[in-house]
Amino acid sequence: IAWLGAMPGWIARPEVSFQVYGERGVVDLVAWHAGRGALLLIELKTEVLDFGDLLGTIDRKHRLAEKIVEPLGWRPTVVGSCLLIADSMTNRRRVADHGSTMRAALPQDGHDLARWLRRPAGELRALRFVSDVHPGHARSSFAAVTRVRAGRGR
């Protein structure tokens, strides 16, 4: 939210729930630029496991975007969707393993996202890896730590 709020004209709302035509859910983060009539729906993932479900969810929210933000009084003229994934070797490997599918569903990257946020025009469907490493820290707190327990007798 701070990242988007630092960009001129953008406001962000977390956890926006919706129920449209019997479909319901929650958008992790919704960003609005009133001056440009631009709406960005953001899905946040610390770990990527089920690509089919994830891409279906992003597509559903993108398709319902105008109805999702109608209660907020927003009338978008341009809509973008973005998947932000915690930057870890495991997440990068999993996305690479499904590279063709991911590129077909989310053809734009973090550079395209940054350009679109500065000047929203046309449809955006982007994927960006996000690091949460801060100066003085050795690891990311955004990516979940997975502990593996050794079996008995090892």
Side-chain angles (χ1 to χ4, degrees), residues 20-92:
V20 179
Y21 308 126
E23 297 184 82
R24 61 182 166 197
V26 176
V27 180
D28 293 332
L29 192 58
V30 176
W32 173 246
H33 193 293
R36 298 205 179 259
L39 175 68
L40 180 62
L41 306 173
I42 300 173
E43 187 77 14
L44 303 169
K45 290 294 172 195
T46 55
E47 189 174 25
V48 184
L49 298 171
D50 185 342
F51 288 88
D53 184 57
L54 174 61
L55 295 176
T57 297
I58 292 169
D59 185 66
R60 178 172 47 98
K61 292 173 184 178
H62 190 94
R63 178 173 39 85
L64 299 172
E66 291 181 31
K67 291 287 186 188
I68 290 171
V69 299
E70 195 173 81
L72 301 173
W74 300 345
R75 306 265 185 257
T77 57
V78 62
V79 176
S81 291
C82 178
L83 171 60
L84 300 182
I85 302 175
D87 193 2
S88 70
M89 288 178 12
T90 300
N91 282 339
R92 284 190 178 270

Side-chain angles (χ1 to χ4, degrees), residues 137-149:
H137 294 272
R139 68 172 197 79
S140 169
S141 63
F142 182 52
V145 174
T146 304
R147 302 209 186 276
V148 178
R149 210 174 194 169

